[in-house]
């Protein structure tokens, strides 16, 4: 897959592309809605009550930091594959971080690392489409 991001051509393997989509979802979707979007069963399809007027405020705050564990869980749900080799995931995260597509927010080595996605919606939508991920199904549009 090739895509121009910030003036350069970006070539990413499948795992990195889907991890970037998962990072975007983790950074933009509220954590309280993970069960709704990423779990199977009746409880995941329940309607969520929303308060009027709060959505735009949340969307304007920009991407939020998220733990590594949450991104990997979203990756598993999006790909429907629970057997992800750890080396592939950690290698892809290192690549995405070095390309400044995601950034590490936590500095404490003892605590679980937290990241933030720096890619815009149009890039992630294109990545999801090329990777065969139903992005609209998982994205919470305020």
């Amino acid at each position: 897959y090739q895509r121009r991001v910030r003036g350069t051509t970006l070539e990413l393997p499948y795992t990195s592309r889907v991890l970037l989509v998962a990072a975007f979802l983790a950074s933009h979707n509220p954590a309280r809605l993970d069960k709704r979007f990423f779990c199977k069963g009746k409880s995941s399809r329940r309607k969520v009550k929303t308060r009027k007027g709060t959505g735009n405020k949340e969307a304007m705050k920009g991407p939020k930091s998220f733990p590594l564990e949450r991104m990997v869980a979203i990756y598993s749900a999006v790909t429907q594959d629970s057997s992800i080799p750890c080396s592939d995931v950690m290698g892809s995260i290192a690549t995405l971080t070095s390309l400044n597509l995601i950034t590490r927010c936590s500095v404490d080595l003892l605590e679980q690392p937290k990241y933030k996605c720096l890619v815009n919606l149009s890039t992630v939508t294109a990545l999801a489409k090329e990777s065969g991920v139903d992005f609209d199904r998982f994205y919470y549009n305020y």
Side-chain angles (χ1 to χ4, degrees), residues 55-86:
N56 288 336
K57 291 179 187 175
E58 289 298 316
M60 296 302 284
K61 289 182 182 177
K64 294 163 190 56
S65 62
F66 55 87
L68 172 66
E69 169 181 288
R70 182 170 178 230
M71 178 174 59
V72 173
I74 292 172
Y75 175 89
S76 296
V78 167
T79 60
Q80 298 177 352
D81 182 16
S82 60
S83 61
I84 310 161
C86 185

Side-chain angles (χ1 to χ4, degrees), residues 1-5 8-12 20 99 101 123:
Y1 174 77
Q2 293 184 0
R3 172 104 175 141
R4 291 189 62 79
V5 176
T8 61
T9 301
L10 181 64
E11 293 185 33
L12 294 172
L20 191 55
L99 292 171
L101 299 174
T123 301

Side-chain angles (χ1 to χ4, degrees), residues 42-60:
K42 288 184 179 181
S43 63
S44 64
R45 299 294 174 216
R46 215 170 28 117
K47 288 191 176 183
V48 176
K49 292 182 182 179
T50 57
R51 289 177 270 175
K52 290 187 177 183
T54 60
N56 288 336
K57 291 179 187 175
E58 289 298 316
M60 296 302 284

Side-chain angles (χ1 to χ4, degrees), residues 16-142:
S16 296
R17 284 183 280 158
V18 179
L19 265 174
L20 191 55
V21 171
F24 183 88
L25 292 171
S27 202
H28 290 276
N29 284 0
R32 63 184 167 79
L33 297 178
D34 282 357
K35 194 174 193 179
R36 173 184 175 191
F37 287 114
F38 306 114
C39 292
K40 295 179 182 177
K42 288 184 179 181
S43 63
S44 64
R45 299 294 174 216
R46 215 170 28 117
K47 288 191 176 183
V48 176
K49 292 182 182 179
T50 57
R51 289 177 270 175
K52 290 187 177 183
T54 60
N56 288 336
K57 291 179 187 175
E58 289 298 316
M60 296 302 284
K61 289 182 182 177
K64 294 163 190 56
S65 62
F66 55 87
L68 172 66
E69 169 181 288
R70 182 170 178 230
M71 178 174 59
V72 173
I74 292 172
Y75 175 89
S76 296
V78 167
T79 60
Q80 298 177 352
D81 182 16
S82 60
S83 61
I84 310 161
C86 185
S87 61
D88 287 353
V89 171
M90 296 313 287
S92 294
I93 290 170
T95 301
L96 295 174
T97 303
S98 69
L99 292 171
N100 289 326
L101 299 174
I102 62 173
T103 185
R104 186 172 176 161
C105 298
S106 62
V107 292
D108 188 8
L109 296 176
L110 296 176
E111 125 183 357
Q112 185 182 44
K114 290 189 176 184
Y115 294 90
K116 187 183 289 189
C117 184
L118 303 176
V119 179
N120 63 22
L121 178 63
S122 62
T123 301
V124 170
T125 305
L127 285 170
K129 185 177 179 181
E130 291 292 324
S131 302
V133 174
D134 186 6
F135 182 75
D136 293 332
R137 178 177 161 211
F138 299 111
Y139 180 57
Y140 179 72
N141 193 358
Y142 293 95

